[in-house]
Amino acid sequence: MDTNFQPVLSINDLSKSFDDTVAIDHFNLAISQGEFITLLGPSGCGKTTLLRLIAGFEKPDRGTIFLDGVSIIPLPPEKRKVNTVFQSYALFPHMTVFENIAFGLRLRNVSSQELKETVGAALEQTKLASFAGRMPSQLSGGQQQRVAIARAIVNKPRVLLLDEPLSALDARLRSEMQVELKRLQRELNITTILVTHEQDEALSLSDRVVVMNEGEIAQIGTPREIYEEPSSLYVARFIGDINLLPATIEGRNVGDTLGATMLGQQISLNSSLDFSPGTKVQILLRPEDIRLDRDIQEDMPRFSGTIVERRYRGATLDTTIQLDHGPTIQACEFFDENDPDFDYQIGERVEVSWVRGWEVILPDEE
Amino acid sequence: MKNKVQLFSISLISGWVMLFGGAPLLLLLITSFLKQHPEKFYQFSFSVQSYFQLIDPAYLDIFLRSVRLAGLTMLFCLIFGYPFAWFTGRLQQHFRAAMLIMLMIPFWTNSLVRTYAVRMILGTHGLLNKALLAVGITESPIRFMYTDSAVVLGLIYLMLPFMILPLYANIEKFDYRLVEAARDLGAGPLQTFSSVVFPLTLPGILAGCIMVFVPTMGLFYVATLLGGARNLLVGNLIQHQFLVSHNWPLGSAMSVILILMMAAMLALYWLVLRRFSARGQVYHA
C-alpha cells in the first residue's frame, strides 16, 4: 500500500458557501487506498456538504477534488467513480432488493450472467440472499441498511461515501452494523469516507478521524491520537467525557516537567510544549485518568472532595466528586477483582488525583 | 350507543349517495332502455332500440373524434402540467402555496365566461391577431376560431388544473433523494426519469389523465363556442338529444356508454394502484 504514494482521493483548497454561511473553508485532505476516514463533527460543521461535494451533488466555490489524480469537479454525479450510502437509505421503493442492487450494473450494460453473479455475491456479503425478491418496504431498518450498502459496493467504487448510515438504527443494531461495515470494508479493501456525529462510531471504525469545526479541520489523526492528545478544547469536548481544571503555568522545572499552580497547589505537568510563565491553561483529564484515595500514586497532588453521585455501570463504578476548592470531577474506576465490595457512599470524603503523565494541557480558549 | 351512531352515519351517507348518485344513474339507465317517441320525450315500454342506433357510423365518427380531441387535450395538459407540478413540488413551502393559488384563481370565474374570453383572444379581430399584425408576423388576420385547434386550446386552458393538482399531490410526496441515489449509481438525467421518477409518479399521471379525459368528453359548450356547429363532440350530441331532439332514450344510452367508458378507466387506475400497493408502494395520488 505504501509503495503507491498517489492518494486515491485528494481534496485541495476546497471552499463552499451557501448564501452567507461558509460550509467548507479552504479544506485540504488526502486519502490513500483502503483507508477508512471519518468526518466527525456536530451538525452544521460542513461534513455532509463535503461528502456531497465529493459525490457531485454540490459544486464548490473554489478548489478541486482529485480522484486517482484526475479532477472530478467538472463531472456530474453519475460520471464519478464514487458511490454513496444515504442516511435515509433512499432505496427505490418500486424495485425488489435484487433490482435495487442491480441498478448500477444495469446502467453499465453488464451481461446478464455477470449481473446475476455480481449481485448474488453482494447479497451473500451483506447476508441478504434470502431477501432478494422482497420489496424495500417489507424489510426492517437494518436490512434496508444492508441493501443500501450492497447497492453501493456492487459497483466497486473507488471511494465509498457513507452519510450517517447508522443513525436511524437502534443502539444494539448499530454496533452490530459497525462490526459488519468494518468487516466488509476490510474484505473489499474499499477506500471509505464516513460522516457521523457519533464519536464512538468514529473511534471504533476509522483509520483516521477528521474532526471538523465550521468547515475547517479542527484535528486529524488516528482515533488514539484524537482521544488521547486532542489539540484543542473543541476536539476534547467533542470526543468522550472530560474534566477540565484551570491552571496557571509557573515555568519549566529541572528535568522535563512544567511547573504550574492548580486549585492552589503546586503541580508538575508532563509536556514538551513551552508555555511562558503566567499563561492560563486548562488541564484535561478523562474520567478514567482519575484516581481516588489509595490508588493515588506517590508524589501526586491530592485534592479533597465529597462524593455527590455514584453510578454502578457493571464493569465500572462512575462517581461525581465535588472538590472543596474547585469544580466537580467525573471519575470512572474499574472494579478490582481483589476488592469485590469496592463502593462509595454519597457524602463520603475522598482524595482525588490522576495518573502521572496522562494529563493533556490545552491553551485556555475562553 | 356507539353502534347507533355508526348505523346513523352509515345510513345517512349511503342514503345521500343513493338519492343523489344512485337514483339519477338508475333513471338514466332505465330511460336508455325505453322506446323513443316522435312527440313525447319517451314512451314507457322496454326497448334496446337506442343502443342499436348508436352503432351508426355517424355516431361512431363523433365518438372517435371526441376521443381524439380529449386525448390530445389530455396529452398537452400532461406535457405542460408535469414540469409545472414537478418544479412546484421542488419549491420551498411558501412558494408552493403561491403557485397553487395562482393556479386556482381562474377557477373563481365561471368556465363558460372564460371560454368566451378565449373567443375574444382568438377571434379575427382578437388580441392574438392584433398582436401578430402589430409585430408583422402576418399580413392579414389568421383564422383561429372554429378549428379543432381552437377547441383543443380552449379545453387545455380549462382542464390544465385538473391535470396539475393530482400530479402535484403525487409529486409533492416524491422523495427527491431517490433522484440523487439514481444519479449516484450512474444514471443520467433521462435514465433517472425513466427508471425512477416516471414509475413512481405514474399513479399521479394516471389520476391526472383521467381527471382531464373524462370531463373533456362531455364538455359540450367549449366545442360549441370555439368549434362552431362543425365541431360536434359526444357532449354536444347528448345535449342535442335531450334539449333539441327531445330523444331522451338515445341521449341516455349515449350517457350510459360514456359512463361505462369512464368506469373502465377508473378500474384500470385502480388496478395499477393495487399493483403499486401490493409491492408496498404508498405513492397514491
Side-chain angles (χ1 to χ4, degrees):
Chain A
M1 230 185 282
D2 285 338
T3 52
N4 187 1
F5 285 106
Q6 175 161 297
V8 172
L9 190 83
S10 131
I11 298 167
N12 287 4
D13 198 29
L14 200 68
S15 293
K16 172 75 183 174
S17 307
F18 296 102
D19 300 326
D20 291 332
T21 320
V22 178
I24 295 292
D25 201 6
H26 299 282
F27 199 92
N28 288 287
L29 183 67
I31 301 168
S32 46
Q33 170 60 41
E35 207 175 2
F36 196 126
I37 291 263
T38 298
L39 305 176
L40 178 67
S43 59
C45 74
K47 56 190 194 301
T48 297
T49 302
L50 185 59
L51 207 69
R52 291 175 61 81
L53 282 162
I54 299 169
F57 301 131
E58 307 285 353
K59 286 263 173 240
D61 300 332
R62 56 173 294 166
T64 38
I65 302 170
F66 294 102
L67 187 68
D68 291 319
V70 181
S71 172
I72 54 170
I73 296 298
L75 301 180
E78 63 267 25
K79 294 266 163 51
R80 301 187 180 194
K81 287 190 69 89
V82 299
N83 286 119
T84 310
V85 174
F86 293 87
Q87 183 173 10
S88 56
Y89 315 143
L91 300 181
F92 303 122
H94 58 306
M95 298 181 193
T96 61
V97 168
F98 185 96
E99 284 306 318
N100 263 282
I101 298 172
F103 190 86
L105 297 172
R106 283 206 196 285
L107 289 164
R108 284 192 272 125
N109 294 321
V110 173
S111 74
S112 69
Q113 182 62 30
E114 193 189 336
L115 183 109
K116 252 184 211 155
E117 281 167 16
T118 318
V119 175
L123 284 166
E124 287 293 334
Q125 276 160 350
T126 47
K127 299 176 185 163
L128 284 166
S130 51
F131 300 100
R134 298 255 190 113
M135 303 307 287
S137 59
Q138 299 167 312
L139 300 178
S140 71
Q143 289 161 346
Q144 290 186 24
Q145 170 66 78
R146 288 211 288 271
V147 178
I149 294 170
R151 187 176 69 172
I153 60 171
V154 78
N155 302 294
K156 302 196 169 52
R158 290 294 290 141
V159 181
L160 178 66
L161 307 174
L162 306 169
D163 185 8
E164 310 225 8
L166 308 178
S167 60
L169 305 177
D170 64 53
R172 211 173 57 119
L173 204 52
R174 193 182 309 162
S175 63
E176 254 177 60
M177 283 305 295
Q178 278 182 19
V179 174
E180 227 167 289
L181 203 57
K182 188 66 194 171
R183 175 183 62 82
L184 267 176
Q185 191 264 339
R186 213 170 17 229
E187 277 175 19
L188 303 170
N189 191 28
I190 259 182
T191 311
T192 304
I193 303 176
L194 168 76
V195 157
T196 186
H197 61 267
E198 301 276 346
Q199 41 120 344
D200 67 309
E201 217 164 279
L203 295 180
S204 63
L205 291 173
S206 329
D207 297 318
R208 278 195 297 163
V209 179
V210 179
V211 185
M212 290 182 65
N213 183 18
E214 290 175 358
E216 294 180 55
I217 296 180
Q219 189 174 0
I220 179 164
T222 64
R224 174 167 283 214
E225 284 165 357
I226 298 283
Y227 188 80
E228 292 184 357
E229 294 151 40
S231 63
S232 63
L233 277 176
Y234 174 82
V235 176
R237 284 222 171 89
F238 202 74
I239 314 257
D241 299 323
I242 53 165
N243 295 300
L244 284 175
L245 296 165
T248 311
I249 300 294
E250 303 271 302
R252 189 154 284 281
N253 293 338
V254 192
D256 210 19
T257 58
L258 273 175
T261 2
M262 184 168 90
L263 308 177
Q265 287 197 41
Q266 290 289 323
I267 58 167
S268 60
L269 303 165
N270 273 350
S271 176
S272 53
L273 297 172
D274 256 323
F275 293 91
S276 53
T279 309
K280 296 234 181 288
V281 292
Q282 296 276 351
I283 308 299
L284 165 72
L285 293 165
R286 300 276 182 198
E288 61 271 22
D289 300 344
I290 301 292
R291 290 294 178 268
L292 302 182
D293 287 345
R294 59 199 170 130
D295 292 333
I296 299 175
Q297 293 159 306
E298 270 178 59
D299 308 332
M300 287 301 287
R302 288 162 178 266
F303 302 89
S304 49
T306 312
I307 303 274
V308 290
E309 213 180 294
R310 71 169 273 286
R311 291 175 304 280
Y312 174 76
R313 303 285 294 271
T316 60
L317 184 69
D318 295 3
T319 46
T320 306
I321 302 130
Q322 175 66 58
L323 295 182
D324 294 346
H325 308 287
T328 57
I329 294 270
Q330 307 287 333
C332 167
E333 293 177 280
F334 280 89
F335 283 101
D336 185 349
E337 56 193 28
N338 297 327
D339 185 8
D341 298 328
F342 155 71
D343 204 350
Y344 297 102
Q345 301 296 317
I346 289 184
E348 196 176 327
R349 298 284 298 165
V350 286
E351 297 209 294
V352 180
S353 189
W354 67 90
V355 180
R356 184 183 296 123
W358 285 14
E359 71 277 4
V360 174
I361 309 169
L362 294 170
D364 196 347
E365 290 160 16
E366 274 133 40
Chain B
M1 175 63 199
K2 197 187 158 203
N3 277 340
K4 274 185 188 165
V5 173
Q6 270 180 354
L7 194 70
F8 176 73
S9 317
I10 291 171
S11 15
L12 189 72
I13 293 166
S14 39
W16 195 93
V17 169
M18 289 303 286
L19 188 63
F20 296 107
L25 273 179
L26 195 66
L27 283 176
L28 199 72
L29 192 67
I30 292 170
T31 313
S32 75
F33 284 108
L34 292 179
K35 211 170 184 176
Q36 295 165 12
H37 190 277
E39 278 125 50
K40 288 188 279 179
F41 295 137
Y42 53 84
Q43 189 182 325
F44 207 82
S45 63
F46 178 82
S47 158
V48 287
Q49 171 192 15
S50 303
Y51 287 95
F52 275 108
Q53 270 179 30
L54 284 181
I55 304 169
D56 187 328
Y59 290 142
L60 196 70
D61 251 18
I62 291 172
F63 179 78
L64 289 179
R65 237 181 89 73
S66 303
V67 169
R68 190 168 57 85
L69 289 188
L72 270 176
T73 304
M74 182 184 88
L75 194 68
F76 279 110
C77 282
L78 183 62
I79 290 169
F80 296 130
Y82 196 96
F84 182 90
W86 176 262
F87 289 114
T88 304
R90 296 285 300 138
L91 287 174
Q92 285 180 328
Q93 198 65 51
H94 53 283
F95 286 122
R96 289 186 203 179
M99 292 292 268
L100 290 179
I101 286 171
M102 288 203 288
L103 186 72
M104 298 301 290
I105 284 174
F107 261 98
W108 299 339
T109 309
N110 183 292
S111 59
L112 193 60
V113 175
R114 282 186 288 144
T115 310
Y116 271 105
V118 174
R119 260 173 86 100
M120 309 288 271
I121 295 169
L122 294 182
T124 318
H125 304 290
L127 265 176
L128 187 57
N129 266 319
K130 274 184 183 156
L132 289 178
L133 285 167
V135 178
I137 290 177
T138 174
E139 298 278 298
S140 56
I142 301 171
R143 209 186 79 137
F144 295 110
M145 282 299 296
Y146 310 118
T147 61
D148 279 2
S149 311
V151 175
V152 171
L153 192 78
L155 288 172
I156 292 170
Y157 171 60
L158 289 187
M159 300 312 290
L160 193 57
F162 292 96
M163 176 62 82
I164 289 174
L165 292 176
L167 264 178
Y168 171 78
N170 175 265
I171 285 171
E172 195 200 17
K173 284 181 285 177
F174 179 82
D175 183 356
Y176 190 75
R177 285 168 297 194
L178 295 177
V179 169
E180 290 191 342
R183 295 292 295 272
D184 187 73
L185 291 165
L190 275 178
Q191 288 161 321
T192 302
F193 180 79
S194 64
S195 59
V196 176
V197 178
F198 177 76
L200 288 175
T201 51
L202 189 58
I205 294 172
L206 285 179
C209 285
I210 292 173
M211 293 278 279
V212 170
F213 188 85
V214 171
T216 303
M217 289 289 283
L219 264 182
F220 58 89
Y221 54 83
V222 177
T224 311
L225 291 179
L226 300 176
R230 216 167 52 78
N231 267 282
L232 222 51
L233 297 183
V234 170
N236 303 81
L237 208 54
I238 294 172
Q239 179 223 15
H240 193 86
Q241 299 313 319
F242 279 100
L243 301 182
V244 182
S245 308
H246 299 302
N247 190 347
W248 284 18
L250 185 61
S252 300
M254 287 170 179
S255 304
V256 168
I257 297 297
L258 200 59
I259 288 167
L260 283 179
M261 208 181 77
M262 293 163 186
M265 288 181 70
L266 285 171
L268 180 81
Y269 173 66
W270 182 75
L271 277 175
V272 170
L273 269 197
R274 213 180 53 156
R275 232 183 78 205
F276 265 70
S277 49
R279 291 160 162 195
Q281 254 300 334
V282 282
Y283 281 88
H284 290 197

